Amino acid sequence: MNSMTGFGRGIAADEALQITVEIKTVNSRFLDLHINMPSTLNFFENELRRQIKSVLQRGKVEVNISLRNTRDREKVFTVNESLALQIREFLVKNGFAQDIKKVALRDMMTVSQD
């Protein structure tokens, strides 16, 4: 290998899923490997590290992996009515709204689950 600096992107897809892998490398004295990927692929991280280390001995390496569902499926909108009522009650009880029937959606959306 003549240069430690590079960038590559690969995309693979089928009827249900698309995976994109990007690799960026820059010159560095030691191997500094960073992998960002969805948690659903964590089981694969050790094998990926092993394979990268088998071909690279040094450099700063960033690997980004993303998954995207490509199935055409109908989107379903659902409302948790019990939770919505609890939020409206909370907002009225704590003085953020006057009437439980007139609580604005934008006010309900500001309530954090934390």
Side-chain angles (χ1 to χ4, degrees), residues 21-62:
V21 178
E22 294 180 349
I23 300 176
K24 302 174 191 175
T25 61
V26 294
N27 195 17
S28 182
R29 188 172 173 189
F30 302 102
L31 182 60
D32 184 11
L33 181 56
H34 296 276
I35 300 174
N36 299 311
M37 64 181 153
S39 59
T40 56
L41 296 178
N42 281 347
F43 72 94
F44 183 62
E45 183 173 354
N46 287 337
E47 177 62 19
L48 182 59
R49 285 182 180 278
R50 188 188 67 71
Q51 288 187 18
I52 291 170
K53 287 179 179 181
S54 74
V55 294
L56 297 176
Q57 289 75 44
R58 50 184 234 139
K60 181 175 180 182
V61 181
E62 282 187 40

Side-chain angles (χ1 to χ4, degrees), residues 69 71-77:
N69 185 344
R71 284 193 182 151
D72 289 332
R73 58 182 176 168
E74 185 177 321
K75 305 292 185 207
V76 178
F77 177 77

